[in-house]
Amino acid sequence: MPPPGGRARPWRRARVRILVGAVVAALAGAALAGAPGPAVAPGRTPAAAPAPGGLAAAPALVHYVGQAFDTCEAPSLAVMKAWRSSPYGAVGIYFGGRGRGCPTQQELTPSWVASVDAMGWRLLPLFVGSQAPCVNAAAKRPFAIGSSPVSQGTREGGEAVRAAQALGLDVSSPLYLDIEAYEQGDAECAATTLSFVRAWNREVSRLGYVPGYYSSADTGVQDIEAERRAGTRDLPAVMWFARWLGRSALYTEPVLQPEAWTPHARIHQYAGNVTEAYGGRRLAIDRNAMDAPVARVIPMAMRAAGVTDSTRRPDAAGGPASARLPDAAGGPASARLPDAAGASARARDAAPPVPRP
């Protein structure tokens, strides 16, 4: 306690200042440890920091907030240049998978990827592999998941990563698995599909990429959300939901709890089979609103020098993406969320585009 007169001795005041400073520093450090990483501006690719043991750390995710479109065939470079006058800043590309509606993709090459990236476009890589055994679209039924969904999902996850690497998409890029709408209420079909999706996610994460998921809000998305609420692991880290309302409901989709797949982990496909023209070039597209990761493209000069994603990837045993992302179940707040009320009856499930990727 202070001496008579209420004034502490100088050495005691200094000691108190040191102790208070240490407490404040400790509290600040704890707060920073629990805080999310800094946001990355669209189009910016931050440098990776060194990791322990001399191993290169995973490059940070790159997020984009704004409008995006997807179309069955990757457009020509001339179209992509003309569409820079559009409100869209990102484009979905159907880069792999046996279930693609447009499998040839004549424009989609490493040079195309590097060129559109240089134009300022952000890329959303979509993989259309095996589909639910009870998929609605007749054209997708030949690609039904077989009797070994886990091994099939693992195999196709590796296929997706190899296809992404071949195009020059770097580690920490999201790869979006496209699971088309399937029959509601078929528990066996849903369980098979979930096993496939989780195995695909694990393999994509293990290889250093980010597992995203595209599906109908009232089938695939609703089922994955139920698994998130149940605490299931190995779920998608980014959710791309289709509900064709004609307007964006990115943060108000009724089958998703408000804090699920946040922050920076949602895309809403809100309109489909619409035709638009910019710069004299016309396309049939689906419209999307997004706040989510986009692909990281390795510059052509680095690829020519032999610096690729596989040479810079941390050890595949853990996968940098899975270590950095919230439990692939919608963020750390997911455990606190109340049970969802279910799907809204006011909006129909998105009908499949023609042709559907």
Side-chain angles (χ1 to χ4, degrees):
M1 59 185 299
R7 295 179 61 84
R9 295 185 179 92
W11 65 268
R12 184 169 295 174
R13 290 200 300 272
R15 184 182 180 188
V16 168
R17 284 197 300 271
I18 292 170
L19 290 173
V20 170
V23 171
V24 170
L27 291 174
L32 287 173
V40 180
R44 296 290 299 278
T45 302
L55 198 61
L61 301 181
V62 178
H63 299 102
Y64 176 79
V65 181
Q67 296 292 307
F69 77 90
D70 61 277
T71 188
C72 195
E73 285 271 6
S76 69
L77 289 177
V79 171
M80 295 303 294
K81 184 176 181 180
W83 272 54
R84 287 306 291 155
S85 62
S86 76
Y88 303 105
V91 57
I93 54 172
Y94 292 88
F95 76 100
R98 70 192 190 107
R100 284 184 294 178
C102 297
T104 55
Q105 299 291 337
Q106 294 181 0
E107 300 286 344
L108 192 54
T109 64
S111 177
W112 185 94
V113 167
S115 296
V116 298
D117 179 69
M119 290 181 196
W121 287 101
R122 301 296 146 236
L123 301 179
L124 300 168
L126 284 143
F127 183 88
V128 192
S130 296
Q131 298 293 303
C134 56
V135 64
N136 290 341
K140 300 298 182 186
R141 290 171 192 162
F143 311 111
I145 298 164
S147 59
S148 301
V150 173
S151 60
Q152 193 169 356
T154 302
R155 183 172 64 253
E156 293 191 27
E159 178 188 335
V161 168
R162 289 190 295 275
Q165 290 173 341
L167 288 173
L169 304 181
D170 204 352
V171 290
S172 295
S173 290
L175 305 180
Y176 293 94
L177 176 62
D178 184 325
I179 295 291
E180 292 295 310
Y182 53 84
E183 185 177 343
Q184 289 179 288
D186 188 329
E188 184 178 356
C189 175
T192 297
T193 305
L194 177 64
S195 294
F196 173 86
V197 171
R198 293 180 67 207
W200 193 93
N201 293 343
R202 283 193 296 271
E203 185 66 2
V204 167
S205 284
R206 187 184 75 83
L207 296 173
Y209 288 74
V210 179
Y213 182 73
Y214 167 92
S215 194
S216 142
D218 282 339
T219 53
V221 171
Q222 182 171 242
D223 285 348
I224 291 292
E225 166 68 349
E227 295 297 328
R228 182 194 66 80
R229 296 197 308 271
T232 302
R233 299 184 66 84
D234 302 321
L235 296 182
V238 191
M239 181 60 75
W240 187 342
F241 57 95
R243 190 186 291 283
W244 292 1
L245 303 171
R247 54 180 172 77
S248 171
L250 186 60
Y251 307 109
T252 56
E253 165 53 42
V255 306
L256 298 176
Q257 286 291 297
E259 293 182 45
W261 284 281
T262 60
H264 311 306
R266 285 193 183 195
I267 306 174
H268 179 198
Q269 187 183 83
Y270 63 88
N273 288 336
V274 298
T275 301
E276 298 183 26
Y278 299 96
R281 302 287 187 148
R282 187 173 298 274
L283 284 177
I285 65 167
D286 300 335
R287 296 171 179 160
N288 305 272
M290 64 176 290
D291 178 1
V294 292
R296 304 179 73 260
V297 177
I298 303 174
M300 288 299 289
M302 291 179 63
R303 286 173 60 82
V307 182
T308 65
D309 50 4
S310 58
T311 60
R312 297 190 298 114
R313 179 171 58 83
D315 184 64
S322 58
R324 272 197 336 279
L325 290 169
D327 184 29
S334 60
R336 302 194 305 273
L337 295 175
D339 190 56
S344 167
R346 64 185 172 81
R348 292 186 59 222
D349 185 17
V354 182
R356 182 65 200 165

